[in-house]
Amino acid sequence: MAKVLLINGSPRKNGNTFTALSEVAHVLNEQGIETEIAWIGNKAIRGCIACGSCKTKGNGQCVFNDDVCNEMIRKMNNVDGLVVGSPTYYGTPNGSVLSLIHRMLFAGADVENKPAAAVVVCRRGGASAAFQTLQMPFQMKNMPIVTSQYWNIVYGRDEGQAALDTEGMQTMRTLGNNMAWMLKSLKRDEGPEREQWQPMNYIR
């Protein structure tokens, strides 16, 4: 059975981000796909300090083990797809979840060819910028992006209000169905052959 990890990037465990992700998870479950909604908590998550130690002695994990990053890496390594949800703060995702994603992907979480999607929640504005920001790392790691009928945005301020956004909830259900379809259609071990990376710096 396929499994999808849904990361709740809100400091509020049962807030509107959880409501949106739960709608996606419900549809995935109906399609026979196992899900886990993992909350990042409300304690500090350190940002990447570009030390590179994860590449030399981290064995696929971040050398800093004082927050949820390595736990999330272990979870990611054992699932087939990823959905990351975040509230919108000043037109950007929650800084904690963004730091988490940066470290997970840089440290070497097993993500290549695993379908991914971003979900954002906002009171009024800034959601499209937050959505783009949260989704961009997936594109750099060869993760197929799961689409929906609209950008994956849900509106709501107070806890539970997201459920009143009928179009937003429908967008979440469409996302869940599209994720299920993609997981059933793709064979991850038969992904495209990759060229060796040829990095180029513009300042020499």
Side-chain angles (χ1 to χ4, degrees):
M1 179 186 294
K3 182 174 181 178
V4 173
L5 174 66
L6 300 97
I7 296 179
N8 178 1
S10 172
R12 298 177 179 176
K13 186 174 184 179
N14 297 307
N16 288 315
T17 302
F18 174 77
T19 299
L21 293 176
S22 296
E23 195 77 359
V24 180
H26 177 70
V27 172
L28 288 168
N29 294 155
E30 287 185 331
Q31 294 281 348
I33 293 171
E34 186 180 354
T35 59
E36 177 183 358
I37 300 179
W39 182 47
I40 66 169
N42 52 20
K43 293 184 171 59
I45 297 177
R46 64 167 73 227
C48 179
I49 64 169
C51 66
S53 297
C54 56
K55 305 300 183 188
T56 58
K57 55 186 178 183
N59 194 29
Q61 298 218 315
C62 181
V63 293
F64 295 112
N65 202 27
D66 53 358
D67 57 28
V68 299
C69 181
N70 286 329
E71 176 188 354
M72 294 296 176
I73 288 175
R74 289 189 289 270
K75 290 179 183 294
M76 186 68 230
N77 291 345
N78 290 290
V79 299
D80 306 285
L82 174 68
V83 180
V84 180
S86 175
T88 301
Y89 295 155
Y90 298 101
T92 60
N94 176 15
S96 293
V97 75
L98 200 55
S99 292
L100 171 67
I101 296 304
H102 289 170
R103 286 169 59 209
M104 282 178 62
L105 298 187
F106 190 73
D110 180 18
V111 297
E112 187 164 312
N113 297 332
K114 292 183 178 182
V119 168
V120 294
V121 176
C122 75
R123 180 190 71 86
R124 186 169 179 83
S128 58
F131 173 67
Q132 181 180 11
T133 299
L134 196 57
Q135 185 170 265
M136 287 175 73
F138 307 150
Q139 295 170 301
M140 295 180 67
K141 299 299 289 186
N142 288 305
M143 302 179 76
I145 302 297
V146 184
T147 60
S148 188
Q149 64 187 27
Y150 194 77
W151 298 309
N152 303 326
I153 296 168
V154 178
Y155 290 89
R157 180 181 182 272
D158 297 328
E159 186 173 308
Q161 282 187 339
L164 304 176
D165 179 4
T166 55
E167 184 177 350
M169 290 292 101
Q170 186 181 58
T171 300
M172 295 300 101
R173 292 192 295 273
T174 302
L175 172 61
N177 277 315
N178 287 350
M179 171 73 85
W181 172 79
M182 189 175 287
L183 285 169
K184 293 173 182 178
S185 301
L186 288 176
K187 292 187 177 180
R188 186 169 173 251
D189 57 352
E190 297 178 2
E193 184 177 343
R194 311 283 186 202
E195 291 186 20
Q196 185 175 354
W197 186 42
Q198 299 180 38
M200 175 181 164
N201 297 324
Y202 289 97
I203 299 175
R204 299 182 181 275

